[in-house]
Amino acid sequence: MKKRILTGDRPTGPLHLGHYFGALKDRVALQDEYDTFVIIADVQALTDNFNDPKKVRDNVYQVTMDNLAVGIDPEKSTIFIQSMIPQIAELTIFYANLVTIARLQRNPTVKEEIAQKKELFKESVTYGFLGYPISQAADITVFGAHLVPVGEDQLPQIEQTREIVRKFNHIYGAILVEPEPKIGEVPRLKGLDGSAKMSKSLNNTIDLGDEPETISKKVMKAITDPAKVRLNDAGHPEVCCVFYYHKLFSKDVCTGISEECKKGDRGCVQCKKELAKNIIEYLTPIRERRRYYEARPKEVEEILRVGTRRAYEAAAITLQQVKEKMFLDY
Ligand code: TRP
């Protein structure tokens, strides 16, 4: 039997290059070697979008199409909707007894997110949001996943999952698998605007389905070396966002680009145009597959239906075992 992967995304908006290099690329590469489950985490998305359920619903399909677009093959992998797996909700309640409030409050990713969501959470964070790492532990363990390919920001959630597994196995009996994280090629992709992170909330993303013109526009706005004002000024590629992206999208020629820039032989406008062209080219097969599915919503729904049925069956097996261990097998 193949080992399992469980990974996925909150359906709150289209996926972007940060997701791709942080996690999606691995997810696709590993789907032959692992029995892969991709969760469309709509329940988790509601923890900070409870006031906009329609947005979450719409993005379930968007994120599913992004996964298919990058090459998740529904013949090999199981894509499913979290809210359709009630076993995850049950398990979350059982796990909640194994996690202290103090432990939840120490999670650095959750802390950062709460700080960003002052608008929503005002004087106090909700129980649901503070506790979402518990439900994420349920997502992972209900499938007995061995490996979780994720972006760097998700490491605290995996660590918390591992703690829950150890505690559960110690108290009730060793039935849960302790998962390992796997961080992608670029753990935290910088934004083209100079931000430390490409992120929807920072409005600095290049989305996987973006049109070529959109990509060009976004790249032309990128921040370059502030010391390089005129075309013939010598630049410092090591501080330039555009060069940082050339290293990903123009691998073969990036040494030459760097030399030219340092000598003052390369203007930023030309440099951005080249980058835009390479990003557009890189994303072409992804964009084309996305357009294929956009034109066939019934096919996307069927993929989710089949995947969700399969995920339900797998989750039911674990939950039965958990209930036996907890004397809940009435
Ligand atoms: N928290 C993840 C994110 O922010 C999404 C997610 C939900 C997830 N459940 C998961 C990731 C389980 C990996 C494993 O995108």
PDB file of all heavy atoms in Angstrom, residues 154-166:
ATOM      1  N   GLN A 154       2.716  26.891   7.451  1.00  0.00           N
ATOM      2  CA  GLN A 154       1.885  25.820   8.014  1.00  0.00           C
ATOM      3  C   GLN A 154       2.646  24.894   8.965  1.00  0.00           C
ATOM      4  O   GLN A 154       2.058  23.982   9.555  1.00  0.00           O
ATOM      5  CB  GLN A 154       1.272  24.986   6.882  1.00  0.00           C
ATOM      6  CG  GLN A 154       0.286  25.766   6.013  1.00  0.00           C
ATOM      7  CD  GLN A 154      -0.894  26.249   6.815  1.00  0.00           C
ATOM      8  OE1 GLN A 154      -1.625  25.460   7.402  1.00  0.00           O
ATOM      9  NE2 GLN A 154      -1.074  27.559   6.870  1.00  0.00           N
ATOM     10  N   LEU A 155       3.947  25.131   9.135  1.00  0.00           N
ATOM     11  CA  LEU A 155       4.723  24.244  10.016  1.00  0.00           C
ATOM     12  C   LEU A 155       4.173  24.174  11.446  1.00  0.00           C
ATOM     13  O   LEU A 155       4.114  23.093  12.029  1.00  0.00           O
ATOM     14  CB  LEU A 155       6.203  24.656  10.032  1.00  0.00           C
ATOM     15  CG  LEU A 155       6.991  24.284   8.767  1.00  0.00           C
ATOM     16  CD1 LEU A 155       8.428  24.771   8.887  1.00  0.00           C
ATOM     17  CD2 LEU A 155       6.961  22.780   8.536  1.00  0.00           C
ATOM     18  N   PRO A 156       3.769  25.309  12.035  1.00  0.00           N
ATOM     19  CA  PRO A 156       3.215  25.209  13.397  1.00  0.00           C
ATOM     20  C   PRO A 156       1.971  24.318  13.477  1.00  0.00           C
ATOM     21  O   PRO A 156       1.753  23.651  14.491  1.00  0.00           O
ATOM     22  CB  PRO A 156       2.870  26.660  13.756  1.00  0.00           C
ATOM     23  CG  PRO A 156       3.713  27.488  12.861  1.00  0.00           C
ATOM     24  CD  PRO A 156       3.864  26.709  11.591  1.00  0.00           C
ATOM     25  N   GLN A 157       1.174  24.313  12.397  1.00  0.00           N
ATOM     26  CA  GLN A 157      -0.041  23.471  12.417  1.00  0.00           C
ATOM     27  C   GLN A 157       0.350  21.991  12.404  1.00  0.00           C
ATOM     28  O   GLN A 157      -0.290  21.164  13.052  1.00  0.00           O
ATOM     29  CB  GLN A 157      -0.982  23.736  11.239  1.00  0.00           C
ATOM     30  CG  GLN A 157      -1.019  25.113  10.634  1.00  0.00           C
ATOM     31  CD  GLN A 157      -1.321  26.248  11.575  1.00  0.00           C
ATOM     32  OE1 GLN A 157      -0.868  26.260  12.706  1.00  0.00           O
ATOM     33  NE2 GLN A 157      -2.059  27.214  11.105  1.00  0.00           N
ATOM     34  N   ILE A 158       1.400  21.677  11.652  1.00  0.00           N
ATOM     35  CA  ILE A 158       1.821  20.273  11.584  1.00  0.00           C
ATOM     36  C   ILE A 158       2.419  19.853  12.931  1.00  0.00           C
ATOM     37  O   ILE A 158       2.183  18.740  13.412  1.00  0.00           O
ATOM     38  CB  ILE A 158       2.856  20.030  10.445  1.00  0.00           C
ATOM     39  CG1 ILE A 158       2.409  20.675   9.136  1.00  0.00           C
ATOM     40  CG2 ILE A 158       3.102  18.530  10.251  1.00  0.00           C
ATOM     41  CD1 ILE A 158       1.079  20.259   8.596  1.00  0.00           C
ATOM     42  N   GLU A 159       3.175  20.758  13.535  1.00  0.00           N
ATOM     43  CA  GLU A 159       3.741  20.452  14.842  1.00  0.00           C
ATOM     44  C   GLU A 159       2.618  20.200  15.853  1.00  0.00           C
ATOM     45  O   GLU A 159       2.661  19.262  16.648  1.00  0.00           O
ATOM     46  CB  GLU A 159       4.644  21.617  15.308  1.00  0.00           C
ATOM     47  CG  GLU A 159       5.562  21.277  16.463  1.00  0.00           C
ATOM     48  CD  GLU A 159       6.235  19.913  16.332  1.00  0.00           C
ATOM     49  OE1 GLU A 159       6.790  19.617  15.256  1.00  0.00           O
ATOM     50  OE2 GLU A 159       6.182  19.130  17.307  1.00  0.00           O
ATOM     51  N   GLN A 160       1.589  21.032  15.789  1.00  0.00           N
ATOM     52  CA  GLN A 160       0.456  20.860  16.699  1.00  0.00           C
ATOM     53  C   GLN A 160      -0.271  19.534  16.433  1.00  0.00           C
ATOM     54  O   GLN A 160      -0.692  18.849  17.357  1.00  0.00           O
ATOM     55  CB  GLN A 160      -0.503  22.049  16.560  1.00  0.00           C
ATOM     56  CG  GLN A 160      -1.053  22.470  17.895  1.00  0.00           C
ATOM     57  CD  GLN A 160      -1.626  23.880  17.901  1.00  0.00           C
ATOM     58  OE1 GLN A 160      -1.380  24.686  17.019  1.00  0.00           O
ATOM     59  NE2 GLN A 160      -2.401  24.171  18.914  1.00  0.00           N
ATOM     60  N   THR A 161      -0.369  19.191  15.168  1.00  0.00           N
ATOM     61  CA  THR A 161      -0.966  17.897  14.801  1.00  0.00           C
ATOM     62  C   THR A 161      -0.167  16.751  15.415  1.00  0.00           C
ATOM     63  O   THR A 161      -0.731  15.806  15.981  1.00  0.00           O
ATOM     64  CB  THR A 161      -1.002  17.740  13.263  1.00  0.00           C
ATOM     65  OG1 THR A 161      -1.753  18.803  12.699  1.00  0.00           O
ATOM     66  CG2 THR A 161      -1.610  16.402  12.857  1.00  0.00           C
ATOM     67  N   ARG A 162       1.150  16.854  15.301  1.00  0.00           N
ATOM     68  CA  ARG A 162       2.000  15.779  15.836  1.00  0.00           C
ATOM     69  C   ARG A 162       1.830  15.637  17.351  1.00  0.00           C
ATOM     70  O   ARG A 162       1.793  14.523  17.880  1.00  0.00           O
ATOM     71  CB  ARG A 162       3.467  16.040  15.470  1.00  0.00           C
ATOM     72  CG  ARG A 162       3.729  15.881  13.969  1.00  0.00           C
ATOM     73  CD  ARG A 162       5.084  16.450  13.574  1.00  0.00           C
ATOM     74  NE  ARG A 162       6.171  15.797  14.279  1.00  0.00           N
ATOM     75  CZ  ARG A 162       6.811  14.714  13.856  1.00  0.00           C
ATOM     76  NH1 ARG A 162       6.463  14.150  12.710  1.00  0.00           N
ATOM     77  NH2 ARG A 162       7.780  14.189  14.564  1.00  0.00           N
ATOM     78  N   GLU A 163       1.695  16.760  18.032  1.00  0.00           N
ATOM     79  CA  GLU A 163       1.480  16.712  19.486  1.00  0.00           C
ATOM     80  C   GLU A 163       0.148  16.038  19.820  1.00  0.00           C
ATOM     81  O   GLU A 163       0.056  15.225  20.742  1.00  0.00           O
ATOM     82  CB  GLU A 163       1.479  18.135  20.072  1.00  0.00           C
ATOM     83  CG  GLU A 163       2.861  18.746  20.137  1.00  0.00           C
ATOM     84  CD  GLU A 163       2.816  20.216  20.537  1.00  0.00           C
ATOM     85  OE1 GLU A 163       1.879  20.622  21.257  1.00  0.00           O
ATOM     86  OE2 GLU A 163       3.728  20.959  20.118  1.00  0.00           O
ATOM     87  N   ILE A 164      -0.877  16.376  19.064  1.00  0.00           N
ATOM     88  CA  ILE A 164      -2.192  15.773  19.299  1.00  0.00           C
ATOM     89  C   ILE A 164      -2.129  14.261  19.075  1.00  0.00           C
ATOM     90  O   ILE A 164      -2.658  13.476  19.866  1.00  0.00           O
ATOM     91  CB  ILE A 164      -3.263  16.434  18.391  1.00  0.00           C
ATOM     92  CG1 ILE A 164      -3.517  17.872  18.849  1.00  0.00           C
ATOM     93  CG2 ILE A 164      -4.559  15.621  18.390  1.00  0.00           C
ATOM     94  CD1 ILE A 164      -4.378  18.697  17.886  1.00  0.00           C
ATOM     95  N   VAL A 165      -1.463  13.876  18.001  1.00  0.00           N
ATOM     96  CA  VAL A 165      -1.331  12.437  17.687  1.00  0.00           C
ATOM     97  C   VAL A 165      -0.640  11.713  18.838  1.00  0.00           C
ATOM     98  O   VAL A 165      -1.103  10.659  19.301  1.00  0.00           O
ATOM     99  CB  VAL A 165      -0.549  12.227  16.363  1.00  0.00           C
ATOM    100  CG1 VAL A 165      -0.127  10.771  16.201  1.00  0.00           C
ATOM    101  CG2 VAL A 165      -1.384  12.684  15.175  1.00  0.00           C
ATOM    102  N   ARG A 166       0.458  12.285  19.315  1.00  0.00           N
ATOM    103  CA  ARG A 166       1.201  11.609  20.388  1.00  0.00           C
ATOM    104  C   ARG A 166       0.344  11.486  21.640  1.00  0.00           C
ATOM    105  O   ARG A 166       0.315  10.451  22.292  1.00  0.00           O
ATOM    106  CB  ARG A 166       2.502  12.370  20.698  1.00  0.00           C
ATOM    107  CG  ARG A 166       3.534  12.229  19.574  1.00  0.00           C
ATOM    108  CD  ARG A 166       4.914  12.637  20.046  1.00  0.00           C
ATOM    109  NE  ARG A 166       5.017  14.076  20.309  1.00  0.00           N
ATOM    110  CZ  ARG A 166       5.470  14.969  19.423  1.00  0.00           C
ATOM    111  NH1 ARG A 166       5.867  14.584  18.231  1.00  0.00           N
ATOM    112  NH2 ARG A 166       5.534  16.247  19.733  1.00  0.00           N
TER     113      ARG A 166
END
